């Protein structure tokens, strides 16, 4: 019985580490060579197709991380934030300000 509980904790910790590492790698990605995702200011971030692609990728990673969550509240939160981020980047891409 104790061994099952230890295995469950170890498995949950590995899933958490995988999700955190993937999200950190995605959030630190370069939208295009020369500067990071938010270095060009908010207007540049919402108008650049490279930045919008990076935002959509972050949303997809959040949505995928929701499948790793066992508890319903974090799962719904990650899924909702991921869908919102993807939808926002799609709307901004369509506006092409």
């Amino acid at each position: 019985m104790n061994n099952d509980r230890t295995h469950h904790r170890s498995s949950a910790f590995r899933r958490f580490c995988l999700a955190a590492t993937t999200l950190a790698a995605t959030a630190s990605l370069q939208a295009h060579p020369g500067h990071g995702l938010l270095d060009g200011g908010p207007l540049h971030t919402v108008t650049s197709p490279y930045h919008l692609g990076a935002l959509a990728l972050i949303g997809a990673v959040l949505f995928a991380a929701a499948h790793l969550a066992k508890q319903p509240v974090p799962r719904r939160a990650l899924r909702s934030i991921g869908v919102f981020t993807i939808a926002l980047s799609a709307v901004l891409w369509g506006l092409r300000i």
Side-chain angles (χ1 to χ4, degrees):
M1 184 79 153
N2 191 20
N3 196 14
D4 289 339
R5 192 175 304 155
T6 303
H7 176 69
H8 177 70
R9 286 183 189 154
S10 173
S11 177
F13 181 71
R14 280 195 300 259
R15 284 194 311 269
F16 172 77
C17 287
L18 176 65
T21 302
T22 305
L23 182 60
T26 305
S28 67
L29 72 95
Q30 297 273 327
H32 50 84
H35 63 277
L37 182 62
L38 300 174
D39 289 347
L43 185 60
H44 176 68
T45 301
V46 299
T47 57
S48 168
Y50 297 107
H51 290 285
L52 294 177
L55 288 173
L57 183 61
I58 290 170
V61 168
L62 288 170
F63 186 81
H67 295 292
L68 299 174
K70 293 287 186 183
Q71 298 170 340
V73 173
R75 186 177 328 133
R76 279 192 298 253
L78 286 170
R79 191 178 296 149
S80 299
I81 294 168
V83 167
F84 175 76
T85 305
I86 293 169
L88 179 65
S89 63
V91 167
L92 291 171
W93 180 278
L95 291 177
R96 302 288 270 189
I97 301 171

